[in-house]
Amino acid sequence: QFLYFIGAMSADDAAVRYDRQVRLWGSTTQKMLHATRLFVGPGAVVSETVKNLVLSGVGAVVLHDPAPATEDDVNTCFLLRPEDVAQRKPRADAAAPRLGALNPLVDISVVATYDAFVAQLKSGTRGGSDHGGPEGDGATFILLGNAPLPQVEALHAAAPPRTTVVNIFAHTHDESFVAITADAGQAR
């Protein structure tokens, strides 16, 4: 089977879950996607992108967003609920189990501090419990929402080779737009 290395579910379960996309881009690409690590910083603006990548079968997602959920967050991020606001739950802690429910083949973990986020980024590990796969062979993406340029530069400097930093800006005043900037790091 094409996804034989996924441990928690059988290869048949994985084959059924990813059948349509494997037909589109092939098993080699699906294996590379499963070997990819995604680091997600603060902001509700990235929730749709993260959802799509989790459903596609990215290997690991590391969340860092210690701010408590607010009413505005509930209105802009489908991963957060009113009970998260009432409990003053950190946004990453509230979103993690809901992301995990979308695809149990993806490792979802939460880090509470920015320093722990950077340390895990530098470590090259996949995050939570490893479902197997070619750990060192995948790319790393850092997905941020409305992050200031110094934070983007600092994360890029701390990142291992083959890391892409994506910072999504969204403004919804009289006119809406989304600008995506990406910087693919060179091998260092």
Side-chain angles (χ1 to χ4, degrees):
Q1 295 285 342
F2 62 90
L3 289 175
Y4 63 91
F5 56 81
I6 296 176
M9 294 179 82
S10 72
D12 290 337
D13 292 336
V16 169
R17 177 175 293 276
Y18 300 128
D19 179 63
R20 285 187 283 176
Q21 61 203 50
V22 168
R23 290 173 195 241
L24 174 66
W25 56 52
S27 63
T28 301
T29 301
Q30 188 63 39
K31 287 178 186 177
M32 288 185 340
L33 180 63
H34 184 72
T36 299
R37 299 181 316 147
L38 176 66
F39 287 79
V40 182
V45 70
V46 300
S47 63
E48 279 295 320
T49 304
V50 172
K51 174 204 64 157
N52 291 334
L53 290 167
V54 165
L55 289 171
S56 295
V58 68
V61 176
V62 179
L63 301 170
H64 168 65
D65 192 349
T70 66
E71 288 296 327
D72 287 342
D73 294 328
V74 172
N75 294 327
T76 60
C77 179
F78 74 95
L79 294 168
L80 301 175
R81 308 282 186 276
E83 59 267 21
D84 301 328
V85 176
Q87 296 171 4
R88 298 202 35 84
K89 203 179 242 188
R91 292 186 289 216
D93 291 336
R98 294 178 186 122
L99 277 173
L102 293 174
N103 189 344
L105 297 177
V106 176
D107 293 328
I108 308 287
S109 61
V110 176
V111 292
T113 67
Y114 178 78
D115 290 340
F117 186 72
V118 172
Q120 191 155 349
L121 175 65
K122 287 180 177 179
S123 75
T125 60
R126 291 187 52 167
S129 62
D130 189 9
H131 288 300
E135 184 165 320
D137 294 341
T140 299
F141 290 88
I142 304 170
L143 184 60
L144 304 167
N146 294 325
L149 187 57
Q151 181 185 21
V152 173
E153 290 172 342
L155 284 170
H156 188 262
R162 297 179 54 199
T163 297
T164 300
V165 180
V166 179
N167 194 14
I168 302 174
F169 292 91
H171 297 278
T172 55
H173 298 291
D174 292 336
E175 296 181 29
S176 298
F177 73 92
V178 175
I180 300 176
T181 58
D183 176 22
Q186 299 297 315
R188 297 188 266 287

